[in-house]
Amino acid sequence: MLDRQSMHFRMMDSPGLEDRQDRLEALLLLGVLAAAMFRLWGMSMSCGITRDESGLLWAIAGGGGEIYQRAIRFPQSVAYAWLTLGMQALFGNTVWLLRLPTLMTSVATLAGTWWFLSRRLGSSSALYGLLFMLASPVVTGNGNALRPYAFGIGFVVLSWFLMTRFLETFSKGWLVCWAIVGAVPAYFTVFFILAVFSQWLGALAWLSRT
């Protein structure tokens, strides 16, 4: 006859219980992402054009032929200016539609963050990390803005993943991918260089343990 403790561990090890936990965590993840999306979308609908966003709109006001010259004068991401110009050609000057690429990038970044953390720390810890990320005003403040910062944050998360892949395999291919993707965020704003420094510190700490 099994005692209570052995029965408890057998229940914890049962595949059915693990499946239910996986489904629950998946539902929680979808709930968090949906809440974040609707929150950012609501902010996008209710918020008018900010001063920084007006600089981007000025950069694309002269059309494709003047984007480069205007973007240099009022520092902008040329690639993001072209993206916004394309959205403007498709949807007109409706502000929340112009902000839609930023919103979708933010949601994709949150999902990617959970996936990355779940591989490293487990799904439960990844969910807490996702909530901590949502608490950051840098993420939520730029998650729906007509600015390129959300794309920079997305590339930072991707470069962290590539860094860990390189450190796990020491493959030259992963190193090249990390070097390229890790440099991209600085294109959106120079302050993302700090993310590059943090990754190098993380890589040195990783290597010091091996």
Side-chain angles (χ1 to χ4, degrees), residues 19 21 23 32 34 37 43 46 52 57 71-72 82 84 97 134 136 141 144 155 178 185 202-204 210:
D19 291 340
Q21 290 176 340
R23 287 195 294 268
V32 170
M37 183 177 67
M43 292 169 62
S46 61
D52 284 345
L57 295 177
I72 292 178
W82 275 106
T84 305
L97 286 174
L134 283 171
S136 169
N144 69 325
F155 275 102
W178 174 33
L204 291 174
T210 59

Side-chain angles (χ1 to χ4, degrees), residues 68-184:
Y68 187 75
Q69 293 81 2
R70 291 191 177 212
I72 292 178
R73 187 178 303 176
F74 190 95
Q76 301 287 330
S77 165
V78 177
Y80 187 73
W82 275 106
L83 174 62
T84 305
L85 184 64
M87 293 293 293
Q88 188 182 60
L90 291 173
F91 303 109
N93 292 316
T94 304
V95 177
W96 74 269
L97 286 174
L98 295 179
R99 291 171 173 159
L100 191 59
T102 298
L103 173 62
M104 301 307 296
T105 299
S106 298
V107 175
T109 298
L110 292 171
T113 299
W114 180 88
W115 177 80
F116 170 64
L117 292 177
S118 65
R119 285 172 55 91
R120 309 303 310 178
L121 305 174
S123 55
S124 298
S125 298
L127 190 59
Y128 286 114
L130 189 63
L131 294 174
F132 180 79
M133 188 176 181
L134 283 171
S136 169
V138 176
V139 175
T140 55
N142 295 294
N144 69 325
L146 196 58
R147 302 292 290 146
Y149 305 135
F151 290 85
I153 295 173
F155 275 102
V156 167
V157 173
L158 178 58
S159 63
W160 271 101
F161 166 73
L162 295 173
M163 182 198 77
T164 57
R165 292 298 297 147
F166 163 68
L167 293 173
E168 288 171 345
T169 63
F170 289 101
S171 166
K172 291 182 180 179
W174 287 115
L175 176 61
V176 171
C177 291
W178 174 33
I180 294 174
V181 174
V184 170

